[in-house]
Amino acid sequence: MFLVSQLSSIISKYISYLPAGLAAAIASIGIEDFKYASIWKDEFVGTLLMIFFTFSPGKWVGVDNEYFAWVCHAIGVVAADKIGGGQHVNPTVSVTMYSLGKCNFSEMYVRICGAMAGGLVAFPLFLKFSDSLSLNALGGPAFDAETSSDEDFDMAFLSEFLAAFILLIAIYFLNWEVNFGAQHYWIKQTLTAVVIRYLIVVFPAAGPAINPMLGTAWAVFDSGAASLPTDTAHYVIYWVASILGGIASAIVYVIYAGGTVFGKSIALGPIKSTAETSSSKKKKKK
C-alpha cells in the first residue's frame, strides 16, 4: 500500500503540469497497433511549426508595421506547410477530408489528436521561448460567453462557419482544380496564405480561429492549463460551427466535381463533368 500511495503522490504532483487533454491526445498514437503513429507525429510537429510561424508575426516580428507582419504571416504559412510536410493541422480539415473519403475514420481521429497535442504543447512552450528572449507573449482566439450577448454569439458562430467554408473551398480549388505549372506549390500555397489573412481580417468575431484546435488549445493555456473549457458556447463556436462550415463546403464541392459526402451521393451535379461533356461535344461538331 505504501508503494501505491507513493506512486499516486508522484503522479498527482507531476500530472498537474500537463495541459488538460494532452494525455488523451498522446494515447491515440497506439490506435490500430501504432499504424498511424507517423501521421500523429507529423501532425504534432506540423502544428508546432504552424503556430510558431503564423502567430509570431505582429508579436515577434512586424510589431510596429502591420503590412510587414502580414507579409511575414504569409511567409509563415508557406514555411510551416513546406517544412511540416503539408499536414492538416486543423480538425475541420481532417473531418472534411474524411467526409470526402480522402482518409478513413482512424486516420482522421489520429490527425485531430496529433494536432491537438501540438497545440496544447505549443502555447506554453512558446511562452517560455518569448519570456527567455523578452519578446511579446503570443495571443490566441477567444470568445467570452459570459460577457457576450446572443447577437455576439450568433455573429461568432456565423464567422467561424463562413471562414471554414471559404478556407476549404480555396483548398479544393487551389489543390485539386488548378495547376500553376512548375511553380504550382509556391503559387498555390502563397494564395492559401492570402486567403487565410483575408479571413482573419473579415471574420474577427471569435478571434478568429478558423481551426477548432487553436480555439481549444488557447483556451486551455489561457486558463492555466488546468482544464478544458466548460462553457458549451466554446465548443459550439469553435468546433460545431467550423466543422459544419467544412461539411457544407464538401457538399458544394461534390455538387461541382462529383463524389460522395460521408459515402452518400448528392442528387445535384456534378457540374464539372456536365460542362466538360458539353465542351467536348462542341469540339467534335467543329
Side-chain angles (χ1 to χ4, degrees):
M1 290 296 291
F2 174 75
L3 288 175
V4 174
S5 176
Q6 285 295 100
L7 181 61
S8 177
S9 176
I10 292 170
I11 292 174
S12 297
K13 179 181 178 180
Y14 290 102
I15 198 73
S16 62
Y17 293 104
L18 289 177
L22 180 59
I26 293 173
S28 69
I29 296 174
I31 285 178
E32 293 188 28
D33 293 327
F34 297 91
K35 179 179 178 180
Y36 303 101
S38 64
I39 288 176
W40 189 98
K41 179 203 70 176
D42 291 343
E43 288 289 341
F44 177 82
V45 173
T47 299
L48 288 174
L49 290 169
M50 182 267 286
I51 292 175
F52 180 85
F53 281 117
T54 64
F55 276 62
S56 53
K59 292 293 185 178
W60 300 345
V61 293
V63 178
D64 300 318
N65 189 319
E66 184 180 12
Y67 294 109
F68 181 64
W70 287 8
V71 172
C72 291
H73 179 269
I75 294 171
V77 170
V78 177
D81 184 82
K82 186 65 174 177
I83 299 171
Q87 306 308 314
H88 293 175
V89 299
N90 186 332
T92 293
V93 173
S94 296
V95 172
T96 305
M97 292 303 157
Y98 167 67
S99 76
L100 289 170
K102 302 297 183 181
C103 64
N104 61 35
F105 185 87
S106 294
E107 181 182 335
M108 176 200 75
Y109 182 76
V110 170
R111 284 187 180 279
I112 291 172
C113 289
M116 279 304 308
L120 291 168
V121 168
F123 288 114
L125 176 65
F126 295 143
L127 177 64
K128 295 289 186 183
F129 177 81
S130 61
D131 284 349
S132 68
L133 297 177
S134 299
L135 298 170
N136 295 322
L138 298 182
F143 179 81
D144 190 348
E146 292 184 4
T147 60
S148 300
S149 65
D150 290 343
E151 201 171 277
D152 293 331
F153 175 85
D154 292 343
M155 183 58 68
F157 183 96
L158 185 61
S159 290
E160 289 298 303
F161 176 91
L162 290 175
F165 177 87
I166 295 170
L167 174 62
L168 267 299
I169 291 293
I171 288 173
Y172 307 147
F173 178 75
L174 294 172
N175 287 273
W176 301 338
E177 298 300 323
V178 294
N179 189 325
F180 297 108
Q183 302 303 317
H184 175 75
Y185 175 81
W186 301 106
I187 295 173
K188 68 98 173 175
Q189 206 57 34
T190 300
L191 290 174
T192 300
V194 171
V195 171
I196 292 172
R197 171 53 62 178
Y198 171 81
L199 295 174
I200 289 172
V201 172
V202 174
F203 299 109
I210 325 172
N211 185 330
M213 172 274 295
L214 291 175
T216 297
W218 174 256
V220 170
F221 170 72
D222 200 36
S223 71
S227 63
L228 291 166
T230 56
D231 58 305
T232 305
H234 171 90
Y235 298 100
V236 172
I237 290 170
Y238 291 117
W239 286 82
V240 176
S242 184
I243 290 173
L244 286 178
I247 293 171
S249 76
I251 293 171
V252 170
Y253 181 71
V254 166
I255 292 172
Y256 168 72
T260 61
V261 179
F262 294 113
K264 303 294 183 182
S265 299
I266 304 294
L268 300 174
I271 297 170
K272 181 180 177 181
S273 62
T274 303
E276 288 176 347
T277 301
S278 177
S279 176
S280 177
K281 286 180 178 178
K282 286 181 180 179
K283 286 180 180 179
K284 286 181 180 179
K285 285 181 180 180
K286 289 179 181 179

